[in-house]
Amino acid sequence: MVAILPTETGHPMTGLSGNVGGVRTDRLVAILLLLQRREQVTAAEVSRELEVSERTARRDLDALAMAGVPVYSMQGRGGGWRLVGGARTDLSGLTESEVRALFLVAGPASAATPAVKAALRKLVQALPEPFRVQAEAAASSLVMDPGRWGSGRFEARPPRFLDELQNAVIRGVQVRLGYVDSTGVETERTVHPLGIVAKGPSWYLVSHTETGRRTFRIDRVSSTEPTGDPVHRPADFDLAASWREIADEIDRKRSPLEIQALCTPDWIGRLRMMLGGRLEVGGPTSDGRIEVVIRGYNEYALAGELAGLVEWLEVIGPPGVRDHLVSIGNALVERYG
């Protein structure tokens, strides 16, 4: 038997090159997994499963044998293709961690192409049951949110306990978590890991705790100890949807003030680039301008941020922001007039 490992290109390999005699490696892996699940397959069955012609299916089966995989054909009625010895439980030496690594590229956070993701999702169905559960968990354990909070330095190195926490998410086990909060106070608690989120350069653990859903910055985690107890995961939990709620709540806390303004249409695009998620665009007014809502931290900071846009943007309220704009304008006139 041969081991299947994920490669840097995102394709699973069996000691084969990316293509074997013009045959896609992901199809060869799919066929190998089918053989281990069913013991015997026909070219017609492979054709239906992989949505290729029977001629292509036969060529792929021949390519497996040529690549050194111990597969052979049985002719006649009731014939088909089998693995030597009928081995089907060790998944050709693929370990659970290798399965998880392979199927991480099938999830929503992956940079893999849609075609590769689709192929890997199909492969899940060919896995033995214990492997399939963890493969599916791996595919839904991570969300990538490319936006950033603030303008701090970019830290590309993954945090220390990222692998341990993602493993706990995939295995579905509770963790005794040591955590240092923003004030430097260290605590310990037992959490139910539900998913990992990469937000720009920062990594977060989304968990259920005895006080409800909580989010932890993984770079502040000081220790992890799996308890072995199963995670209590809500049946309708969706990591991506949950993160959208969390991110919206954090954005509101970071930018509690809202101002109303009117913007010329040709500057809406510039505002989007400047403000990102802090900008909400409404409808047009009778004079052709566009209603917008802008969020910020406080009135003076927002006034300073928008003072240079007076030619294209008119702040309607609140009055405090308009007062700060007047003060800034008077100061500019006094200094440069």
Side-chain angles (χ1 to χ4, degrees):
M1 306 301 284
V2 292
I4 308 171
L5 297 173
T7 69
E8 294 180 358
T9 60
H11 287 285
M13 304 292 281
T14 61
L16 315 173
S17 62
N19 285 271
V20 180
V23 179
R24 286 280 301 276
T25 304
D26 54 0
R27 289 210 309 266
L28 299 188
V29 176
I31 294 171
L32 178 57
L33 294 174
L34 283 171
L35 283 165
Q36 293 199 318
R37 182 182 176 192
R38 302 183 183 180
E39 290 192 3
Q40 178 176 308
V41 296
T42 66
E45 290 171 340
V46 172
S47 170
R48 288 193 299 271
E49 286 284 343
L50 303 187
E51 300 177 356
V52 296
S53 67
E54 285 195 37
R55 180 179 178 182
T56 297
R58 292 191 189 94
R59 184 183 64 187
D60 290 356
L61 287 159
D62 286 333
L64 272 180
M66 292 173 60
V69 176
V71 61
Y72 67 99
S73 63
M74 299 177 58
Q75 303 298 321
R77 187 180 181 88
W81 291 77
R82 288 175 174 248
L83 287 170
V84 172
R88 58 181 299 197
T89 57
D90 69 348
L91 200 61
S92 296
L94 191 64
T95 67
E96 289 186 7
S97 61
E98 289 166 352
V99 168
R100 295 196 296 268
L102 175 63
F103 284 94
L104 277 173
V105 304
S110 169
T113 65
V116 170
K117 288 185 180 183
L120 290 174
R121 284 194 293 269
K122 289 180 181 178
L123 295 189
V124 171
Q125 301 307 313
L127 289 167
E129 185 64 29
F131 285 73
R132 192 183 315 154
V133 171
Q134 294 208 6
E136 291 171 339
S140 61
S141 67
L142 182 65
V143 161
M144 302 291 284
D145 184 348
R148 300 179 65 186
W149 281 313
S151 55
R153 290 182 56 194
F154 183 89
E155 179 57 65
R157 185 174 59 186
R160 176 183 173 189
F161 292 103
L162 176 61
D163 288 344
E164 289 90 336
L165 291 172
Q166 187 163 38
N167 186 52
V169 171
I170 294 169
R171 290 172 54 209
V173 295
Q174 298 178 40
V175 171
R176 186 69 179 169
L177 193 73
Y179 191 72
V180 181
D181 66 19
S182 58
T183 65
V185 175
E186 184 171 5
T187 58
E188 279 195 355
R189 71 201 79 190
T190 299
V191 302
H192 300 246
L194 300 176
I196 304 288
V197 176
K199 171 72 171 174
S202 301
W203 294 84
Y204 296 87
L205 172 69
V206 179
S207 296
H208 176 72
T209 72
E210 60 183 9
T211 57
R213 185 183 64 188
R214 292 292 182 271
T215 303
F216 303 94
R217 272 183 49 168
I218 297 180
D219 61 348
R220 292 180 180 166
V221 172
S222 58
S223 64
T224 62
E225 181 184 353
T227 67
D229 296 324
V231 162
H232 301 311
R233 186 183 185 92
D236 59 349
F237 178 78
D238 179 270
L239 179 59
S242 181
W243 177 250
R244 284 194 295 270
E245 294 177 2
I246 294 168
D248 288 345
E249 181 180 350
I250 293 174
D251 280 335
R252 285 192 294 270
K253 289 180 178 179
R254 291 173 62 90
S255 306
L257 177 67
E258 290 187 351
I259 71 165
Q260 296 76 43
L262 300 175
C263 182
T264 57
D266 55 334
W267 259 78
I268 291 293
R270 298 277 187 93
L271 276 184
R272 289 188 192 277
M273 292 176 61
M274 290 175 54
L275 303 171
R278 292 193 293 129
L279 174 70
E280 295 179 17
V281 178
T285 62
S286 58
D287 63 3
R289 291 184 294 177
I290 308 297
E291 295 177 337
V292 296
V293 174
I294 299 170
R295 295 200 309 273
Y297 181 70
N298 62 46
E299 292 183 347
Y300 182 77
L302 268 176
E305 189 175 16
L306 302 177
L309 307 180
V310 64
E311 186 176 350
W312 306 278
L313 188 76
E314 179 186 357
V315 174
I316 305 302
V321 177
R322 291 173 61 91
D323 293 341
H324 284 303
L325 285 168
V326 170
S327 297
I328 292 170
N330 289 336
L332 288 170
V333 170
E334 183 176 346
R335 170 81 44 107
Y336 300 106

